[in-house]
């Protein structure tokens, strides 16, 4: 089966085309997938001036970029087929216009696309409907509805966090010379630490598609804390890579850390598995204000703060993870995914943890830690293989659901 996948939940517009076959199935999840096309446009630079994602700008950019990305992904997949005459009947265009009434630029570009190209040989459309930023999600959802209607295809709803969960199967570097992609298999039960800009969750999966969230942040997500602390230190956006660069530099320098640079480990000793990162951010704010008053906020001190911040995050994350494993000793796999799983220190620390506890450790190749349309493609593929017809939704009823939790699937 060949599916086209759309992701617009935050500030990445992405479309992939993947194929999966019965013989690639490994009992609980796929062990191979064929990546026919994969195109992505990141808006990170545009949002940088706001120090975070600005929803209406994200919406506008998705509307502008989806058709070019679709064209690019289809070209890679050898599915961009010139049409001798417009490929979508005139009678259908009124309804498509209505579906895309809030995205006029997207509609205009899609009309030109339909005038030039045939329906591609795909079997279904999958789209991320949540969680994420509502205005951004709606663009992808409406685009999926328009394409499904134009091409008479069924639709599959993908959950963004389930996408991150499955992204951990992509452990090898992507290689577009060769479209077959070998995937790691997940041995269940699995525990997943899903850390991103919008979410911080510990999730238990006893079997495929069955999730229980038993820890989450009560306020800021880890990635959000990284971004906010980066702003306090006047670093760029996204903050994660900037902070970890400074922190690594300080660690490598082998210098002594100034004893005033100390940050709290919020909720680390609490028995529950929830997190809180807003206090950590506030502690950085106070520290920065004090140092500024003294005129001591220089680059060296900033890298010390970045280092201490990373240690604080690592301590809290490891402590909660240990508790999660104490409560679930039969777990076989540790998954680490979400944008923050690009973090070198956490990748290593969780790797050590997995080794100590003899766990299979799965985390995405660095290119796929951030949002992309391959992870949700794999989530939809796994869902289709297990649930068959039940995985489909009527495209007319597709809706964005900005707070769709992974344990509500
Ligand atoms: O999953 P993602 O791409 O988008 C959301 O769904 O939120 O996650 C983005 C988050 C940002 O907050 C970014 O600062 C963080 O992931 N991030 C990192 C690193 N790279 C990205 N955090 C820590 N260390 C990194 N190397
Ligand atoms: Zn994400």
């Amino acid at each position: 089966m060949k599916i086209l996948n759309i992701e617009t939940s935050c500030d990445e517009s992405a479309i992939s085309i993947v194929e999966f076959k019965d013989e690639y199935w490994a009992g609980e999840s796929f062990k191979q997938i064929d990546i026919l096309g994969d195109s992505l446009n990141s808006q990170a630079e545009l949002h940088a001036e706001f120090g975070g994602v600005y929803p209406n700008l994200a919406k506008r950019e998705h509307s502008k970029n989806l058709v070019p990305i679709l064209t690019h992904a289809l070209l890679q997949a050898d599915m961009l087929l010139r049409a001798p005459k417009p490929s979508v009947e005139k009678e259908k265009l009124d309804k498509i216009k209505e579906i895309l009434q809030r995205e006029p630029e997207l509609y205009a570009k899609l009309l030109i696309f339909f005038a030039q190209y045939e329906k591609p040989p795909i079997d279904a459309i999958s789209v991320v409907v949540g969680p994420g930023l509502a205005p951004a999600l709606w663009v992808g959802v409406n685009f999926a509805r328009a394409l499904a209607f134009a091409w008479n295809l069924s639709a599959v709803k993908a959950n963004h966090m389930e996408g991150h969960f499955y992204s951990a199967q992509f452990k090898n570097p992507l290689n577009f010379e060769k479209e077959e992609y070998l995937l790691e298999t997940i041995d269940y039960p699995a525990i997943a630490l899903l850390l991103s800009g919008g979410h911080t969750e510990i999730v238990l999966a006893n079997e495929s598609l069955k999730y229980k969230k038993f820890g989450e942040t009560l306020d800021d997500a880890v990635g959000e804390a990284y971004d906010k602390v980066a702003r306090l230190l006047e670093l760029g956006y996204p903050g994660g890579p900037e902070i970890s660069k400074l922190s690594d530099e300080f660690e490598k320098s082998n210098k002594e850390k100034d004893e005033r640079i100390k940050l709290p480990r919020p909720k680390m000793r609490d028995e529950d598995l929830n997190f809180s990162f807003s206090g950590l951010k506030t502690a950085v704010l106070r520290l920065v204000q004090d140092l500024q008053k003294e005129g001591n906020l220089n680059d060296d001190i900033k890298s010390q703060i970045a280092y201490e911040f990373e240690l604080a995050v690592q301590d809290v994350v490891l402590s909660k993870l240990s508790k999660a494993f104490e409560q679930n000793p039969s777990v076989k796999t540790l998954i680490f995914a979400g944008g923050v799983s690009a973090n070198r220190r956490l990748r290593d620390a969780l790797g050590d943890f997995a080794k100590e506890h003899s766990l299979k450790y799965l985390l995405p190749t660095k290119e796929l830690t951030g949002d992309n349309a391959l992870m949700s493609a794999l989530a939809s593929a796994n869902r289709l293989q297990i649930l068959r017809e039940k995985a489909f939704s009527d495209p007319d009823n597709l809706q964005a659901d900005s707070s769709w939790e992974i344990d509500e699937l």
Side-chain angles (χ1 to χ4, degrees):
M1 190 170 194
K2 294 185 184 117
I3 53 176
L4 183 135
N5 313 275
I6 302 167
E7 153 72 70
T8 63
S9 66
C10 192
D11 59 347
E12 259 88 35
S13 326
I15 292 187
S16 71
I17 301 160
V18 305
E19 179 169 17
F20 53 95
K21 302 177 179 161
D22 284 343
E23 68 247 40
Y24 299 166
W25 187 242
E28 295 259 30
S29 55
F30 280 104
K31 61 176 191 288
Q32 178 176 334
I33 196 160
D34 296 341
I35 302 174
L36 308 183
D38 179 36
S39 187
L40 181 144
N41 176 279
S42 172
Q43 308 162 7
E45 274 180 26
L46 294 175
H47 294 281
E49 80 174 273
F50 304 99
V53 181
Y54 189 65
N56 282 327
L57 175 62
K59 173 186 155 123
R60 204 177 68 206
E61 287 297 306
H62 290 314
S63 304
K64 193 163 91 190
N65 293 323
L66 280 175
V67 172
I69 288 174
L70 170 71
T71 311
H72 184 223
L74 290 171
L75 183 68
Q76 287 178 331
D78 283 331
M79 289 183 184
L80 194 63
L81 314 166
R82 283 265 169 203
K85 59 175 181 47
S87 62
V88 173
E89 305 84 324
K90 263 213 173 95
E91 307 77 70
K92 282 192 161 180
L93 294 181
D94 281 347
K95 175 155 173 192
I96 294 173
K97 187 172 185 183
E98 193 191 310
I99 294 172
L100 294 174
Q101 58 180 310
R102 286 166 189 264
E103 293 85 18
E105 187 175 1
L106 180 54
Y107 174 66
K109 290 195 168 176
L110 194 54
L111 270 193
I112 299 173
F113 178 91
F114 288 149
Q116 291 180 312
Y117 302 111
E118 294 281 11
K119 171 188 170 180
I122 51 169
D123 304 298
I125 292 183
S126 115
V127 59
V128 171
V129 306
L133 301 169
L137 286 165
W138 271 111
V139 185
V141 168
N142 288 337
F143 191 50
R145 286 179 59 203
L147 291 180
F149 175 69
W151 293 337
N152 296 318
L153 293 170
S154 318
V156 185
K157 294 195 297 183
N159 178 285
H160 183 75
M161 298 316 286
E162 187 177 50
H164 277 305
F165 179 92
Y166 279 120
S167 73
Q169 286 191 272
F170 290 98
K171 215 177 162 181
N172 306 309
L174 296 180
N175 174 3
F176 285 103
E177 309 276 295
K178 206 165 145 266
E179 63 191 33
E180 304 91 42
Y181 191 94
L182 296 182
L183 297 162
E184 296 288 330
T185 51
I186 301 170
D187 297 336
Y188 289 91
I191 276 192
L193 197 60
L194 305 179
L195 308 182
S196 72
H199 290 82
T200 295
E201 302 179 341
I202 302 182
V203 173
L204 172 71
N206 277 317
E207 55 181 298
S208 304
L209 315 187
K210 296 259 186 310
Y211 308 99
K212 194 176 144 223
K213 193 170 69 183
F214 58 116
E216 64 187 323
T217 185
L218 303 177
D219 40 58
D220 293 351
V222 189
E224 191 179 354
Y226 263 94
D227 295 335
K228 287 179 174 169
V229 167
R231 218 177 321 167
L232 293 174
L233 299 179
E234 295 172 327
L235 307 172
Y237 171 84
E242 301 278 332
I243 292 203
S244 68
K245 197 172 116 217
L246 278 193
S247 141
D248 286 352
E249 272 168 23
F250 177 74
E251 190 175 29
K252 276 199 207 108
S253 74
N254 275 328
K255 283 192 209 147
E256 265 313 280
K257 186 154 62 70
D258 186 319
E259 60 188 22
R260 286 173 307 169
I261 312 297
K262 274 235 138 288
L263 293 170
R265 271 65 175 156
K267 286 190 67 58
M268 188 163 88
R269 311 227 171 271
D270 294 4
E271 268 318 297
D272 65 294
L273 294 173
N274 292 326
F275 299 87
S276 165
F277 290 103
S278 77
L280 186 53
K281 170 205 66 195
T282 311
V284 174
L285 173 66
R286 291 220 186 90
L287 196 55
V288 165
Q289 284 171 336
D290 289 349
L291 290 159
Q292 251 160 355
K293 260 187 231 145
E294 297 164 16
N296 280 333
L297 189 65
N298 52 39
D299 286 352
D300 177 50
I301 288 282
K302 281 185 186 176
S303 54
Q304 296 192 32
I305 298 175
Y307 177 64
E308 171 68 7
F309 172 76
E310 285 220 306
L311 293 187
V313 169
Q314 178 186 321
D315 287 347
V316 174
V317 165
L318 278 176
S319 135
K320 296 294 175 185
L321 193 61
S322 296
K323 288 189 182 119
F325 274 96
E326 276 162 28
Q327 292 175 19
N328 299 279
S330 62
V331 158
K332 294 192 186 125
T333 302
L334 169 62
I335 286 177
F336 178 33
V340 180
S341 70
N343 187 274
R344 202 262 316 151
R345 191 176 303 280
L346 287 173
R347 286 172 88 91
D348 291 352
L350 295 176
D352 293 342
F353 181 94
K355 213 179 257 168
E356 266 166 46
H357 294 78
S358 307
L359 298 166
K360 184 170 193 172
Y361 181 42
L362 299 184
L363 75 181
T365 169
K366 277 219 178 170
E367 309 153 87
L368 296 181
T369 52
D371 296 344
N372 61 79
L374 287 175
M375 62 187 204
S376 44
L378 188 53
S380 291
N382 282 320
R383 222 152 243 286
L384 277 163
Q385 189 71 10
I386 295 168
L387 301 175
R388 303 279 164 174
E389 274 75 46
K390 285 195 205 122
F392 288 117
S393 295
D394 176 357
D396 264 348
N397 295 334
L398 284 184
Q399 298 216 356
D401 185 351
S402 58
S403 52
W404 191 25
E405 300 287 344
I406 192 167
D407 50 3
E408 291 168 355
L409 302 184

